[in-house]
Amino acid sequence: MAAASGASEQKIGTSESAQDLDDLPDMLEAKLWENPCPFTFRINYLALLYNTPLYSWIQDTYGLKRHEYVVIYSLALANGGSARDISRTSGFPKNTLSRAVKRLELMGLLEERSKAPGGGRRQALRLSEKGWKLFNETVPVFESYEERMLTPLSKGERQILFELMSKVVVGAEDWADDLPQAGAKGSTRNTKGETQ
Amino acid sequence: MAAASGASEQKIGTSESAQDLDDLPDMLEAKLWENPCPFTFRINYLALLYNTPLYSWIQDTYGLKRHEYVVIYSLALANGGSARDISRTSGFPKNTLSRAVKRLELMGLLEERSKAPGGGRRQALRLSEKGWKLFNETVPVFESYEERMLTPLSKGERQILFELMSKVVVGAEDWADDLPQAGAKGSTRNTKGETQ
DNA sequence: CTAAGTAAGTTCCAAATTGAACTTGACTAC
DNA sequence: GTAGTCAAGTTCAATTTGGAACTTACTTAG
């Protein structure tokens, strides 16, 4: 709760305050404390703060783009997964992933795709030795960044946060499909936005 | 906590289970329950689930792209804000926003930009009557979607979640700038990723 | 008053992204 | 076996994106 700043109808009384001092725009205050969607704003904002530096580090260090690294990460957690799985869990469209996979193969980070584990025409993707090495080198950085993010919370608070977020995610299975009104042609879902 | 599925070294014993039944890939289970970064995965995943349908609804209904709607939303919370502010708080690069603003003006959703409130060369952006109308029509949908998302939580739990997330966001001011190792040329920050 | 400095906003263009169409392979029913 | 159905993956083309360079406008120092 709490209404912190005085944005909205600001008549520019005395303030314009932190604008340049601390570099934090009033707008951030407004988005944090007067937002009709405070939860999702925090979600999005934290995702921004977390992802941006990490993926730009990955880019600079390993020359991998975000969706390429996402493939690595995904396979590290579920080796033998398919492009479709990665698409579903990350939000990247399948053609983007197709290219990513191709490039990773070329770089020798994936093993040759074995034919099909699950259903239809699915291809099982697996990390190569080199792919695992890359993953093992990089996870600690991601982990420590998450750790860093959670610094303000005690052990117990983290546990609670984890449980609450899990509840929300698990519950999401219900609503995650019916849009406001029309789903219309929305056949294949994923249309934007990404996940690690 | 809790190791749910049996992904990682899956030898395809009996399962491949929900793969087609419920449409949830094992990979999702792995990412949820065996992820070295469980918090940020949830963050990203929820952002995905929330943003995707809403913005594609906005697109279909009002013909506005995500960053365009973000401008509207941002100004609704902090009227008179500048493009720079929106960039900072949303993560979109300034040229993208420049274009968005231009288009919104053309559509009559913004008032003519007044010169400068804060410092330097800043332009104050304001919603027009029409812009407010659009915002007022759409927020309820965003709100109800957030509400929907939080359904699994009791009132008290929501309050706790809100407080914990706030703590993390507020604490972010400290770490939000130093990358893993080199910030290098990273002058203007925002390089990818978006926020509402 | 002029010069230098700074940063917001804009333009440009090469590169990346993705919807749509297509291809491919597998499974199912006959 | 063959035909039909379905979805994973790929290709293609058009749009979108965002880094770099530029412009503009204000602020400050001389």
Side-chain angles (χ1 to χ4, degrees), chain A residues 140-195:
Chain A
V141 178
F142 279 75
E143 277 178 307
S144 77
Y145 220 66
E146 167 154 333
E147 161 66 27
R148 193 99 161 277
M149 201 165 185
L150 295 175
T151 298
L153 304 186
S154 73
K155 197 114 191 295
E157 286 174 323
R158 292 179 197 199
Q159 178 60 27
I160 293 175
L161 179 58
F162 178 79
E163 274 160 24
L164 295 179
M165 299 256 327
S166 295
K167 260 197 188 179
V168 175
V169 172
V170 170
E173 284 163 28
D174 299 335
W175 51 269
D177 255 338
D178 23 298
L179 316 205
Q181 30 190 244
K185 68 287 299 274
S187 43
T188 340
R189 196 69 352 86
N190 64 53
T191 320
K192 253 311 170 54
E194 311 89 31
T195 316

Side-chain angles (χ1 to χ4, degrees), chain A residues 1 31-44, chain B residues 73 143 146 150 162 165-166 196:
Chain A
M1 304 301 144
K31 286 189 174 185
L32 280 173
W33 309 112
E34 294 165 25
N35 202 322
C37 304
F39 180 62
T40 45
F41 176 73
R42 282 161 175 69
I43 293 274
N44 276 300
Chain B
Y73 196 98
E143 279 179 306
E146 166 154 332
L150 296 175
F162 178 78
M165 300 256 329
S166 295
Q196 134 227 109

Side-chain angles (χ1 to χ4, degrees), chain B residues 8 53 68-69 71 80 85 88 95 101 132 135 140 145 160 163 166 171 174 180-181 191 194:
Chain B
S8 255
E68 289 159 348
Y69 184 75
V71 172
D85 296 334
R88 294 285 189 78
N95 49 3
V101 167
W132 280 111
F135 175 73
Y145 220 65
I160 294 174
E163 274 160 23
S166 295
D174 300 335
Q181 31 188 244
T191 320
E194 311 90 29

Side-chain angles (χ1 to χ4, degrees), chain B:
Chain B
M1 326 297 157
S5 78
S8 255
E9 266 308 310
Q10 87 219 108
K11 199 67 183 296
I12 325 160
T14 39
S15 51
E16 87 232 18
S17 53
Q19 203 78 304
D20 283 312
L21 258 177
D22 199 17
D23 223 21
L24 288 174
D26 286 355
M27 187 178 277
L28 181 57
E29 294 292 307
K31 286 188 174 183
L32 280 173
W33 309 112
E34 294 164 26
N35 202 324
C37 305
F39 180 62
T40 45
F41 175 73
R42 280 160 177 71
I43 293 275
N44 276 301
Y45 189 65
L46 286 177
L48 177 67
L49 256 39
Y50 178 82
N51 296 327
T52 308
L54 279 176
Y55 286 113
S56 98
W57 172 73
I58 287 285
Q59 171 76 278
D60 295 349
T61 311
Y62 298 92
L64 294 179
K65 296 208 221 76
R66 178 164 172 182
H67 42 256
E68 289 159 348
Y69 184 75
V70 163
V71 172
I72 301 281
Y73 196 98
S74 301
L75 296 178
L77 293 188
N79 212 7
S82 68
R84 189 200 73 138
D85 296 334
I86 303 178
S87 176
R88 294 285 189 78
T89 57
S90 74
F92 288 106
K94 52 187 190 159
N95 49 3
T96 295
L97 291 174
S98 178
R99 250 171 304 157
V101 167
K102 204 190 299 180
R103 173 136 189 269
L104 292 174
E105 267 176 338
L106 220 65
M107 295 176 76
L109 294 166
L110 300 187
E111 297 199 332
E112 204 177 353
R113 333 186 187 181
S114 54
K115 276 299 155 59
R121 194 197 161 202
R122 223 164 288 176
Q123 306 177 325
L125 307 172
R126 296 182 178 283
L127 293 182
S128 68
E129 205 52 54
K130 209 172 150 193
W132 280 111
K133 181 160 168 293
L134 171 56
F135 175 73
N136 290 325
E137 265 172 45
T138 50
V139 215
V141 178
F142 279 74
E143 279 179 306
S144 77
Y145 220 65
E146 166 154 332
E147 160 67 28
R148 193 97 160 278
M149 202 165 183
L150 296 175
T151 298
L153 304 185
S154 73
K155 198 114 192 293
E157 287 174 322
R158 293 180 197 198
Q159 179 59 25
I160 294 174
L161 179 60
F162 178 78
E163 274 160 23
L164 295 178
M165 300 256 329
S166 295
K167 260 196 188 178
V168 175
V169 172
V170 170
E173 284 163 28
D174 300 335
W175 53 268
D177 257 337
D178 22 301
L179 315 206
Q181 31 188 244
K185 66 289 297 273
S187 44
T188 340
R189 196 65 356 85
N190 63 53
T191 320
K192 252 314 172 49
E194 311 90 29
T195 318
Q196 134 227 109

